[in-house]
Amino acid sequence: MAETGDLRELYQDVILDHGKRPRNFGAVAAANRRAEGDNPLCGDHLTLTLEVAGGRVADAGFEGAGCAISVASASLMTDTVKGLPVAQAEELFRRFHRLLTADDAAAAGDDAEALGKLAVFAGVREYPIRVKCATLPWHTLMAALAAADTTAAPTVSTE
Ligand code: ZN
């Protein structure tokens, strides 16, 4: 079982690394989508800006403050969706959400494979109160993608 322990440690390392040194921190200069995310239970708050062009997420950035899990999730999420077609980003959201919330272990296994690096958050399933920290950036992403422009700027709350 040493391998499982090492893997868990690796996952924790990735989350700690992205929590401490978040990638894509800051507003996107050419942003044409914006949304705010709020998780009052933990105090996580982020503003997500996107540049969507030609049906793709051309650029993504976030600002705000929160716990290590929410910051790491926003960091890994922005890293992953940059350059992806919008439909593929939406598909990742569905898989990510299912990985963290679904009871179906077999489906979660499939999702973990499809999610690649994002699967480091699979362990958060065991801490229901932290699930909202990890999914907040993704709910905010969906709201931003659904917004018509930056003036719409919807706010997502996990409560
Ligand atoms: Zn949190």
Side-chain angles (χ1 to χ4, degrees):
M1 287 291 107
E3 198 173 299
T4 311
D6 289 349
L7 204 59
R8 185 163 296 186
E9 215 161 277
L10 174 74
Y11 284 1
Q12 280 171 357
D13 283 352
V14 172
I15 291 172
L16 284 175
D17 176 39
H18 279 262
K20 275 189 203 146
R21 298 185 301 115
R23 318 317 191 249
N24 310 305
F25 195 84
V28 170
N32 53 15
R33 301 285 189 282
R34 190 161 78 92
E36 310 245 346
D38 202 24
N39 177 17
L41 270 178
C42 181
D44 309 317
H45 185 88
L46 82 152
T47 301
L48 182 74
T49 48
L50 306 173
E51 182 191 353
V52 177
R56 284 177 183 269
V57 180
D59 205 358
F62 75 101
E63 293 171 294
C67 67
I69 289 178
S70 72
V71 172
S73 181
S75 174
L76 274 157
M77 178 191 78
T78 47
D79 245 11
T80 305
V81 301
K82 266 202 286 186
L84 286 188
V86 169
Q88 212 172 319
E90 289 168 348
E91 175 64 18
L92 281 177
F93 161 74
R94 282 189 290 273
R95 287 186 179 278
F96 189 77
H97 195 262
R98 202 162 50 190
L99 179 72
L100 270 71
T101 59
D103 295 328
D104 185 348
D110 285 352
D111 290 332
E113 203 174 316
L115 285 164
K117 213 175 184 183
L118 295 169
V120 295
F121 291 98
V124 174
R125 280 170 72 89
E126 293 164 37
Y127 309 94
I129 200 150
R130 310 316 295 274
V131 167
K132 286 178 176 180
C133 302
T135 57
L136 177 70
W138 287 91
H139 284 294
T140 310
L141 173 69
M142 289 305 104
L145 287 173
D149 52 45
T150 54
T151 57
T155 299
V156 179
S157 178
T158 55
E159 278 210 323

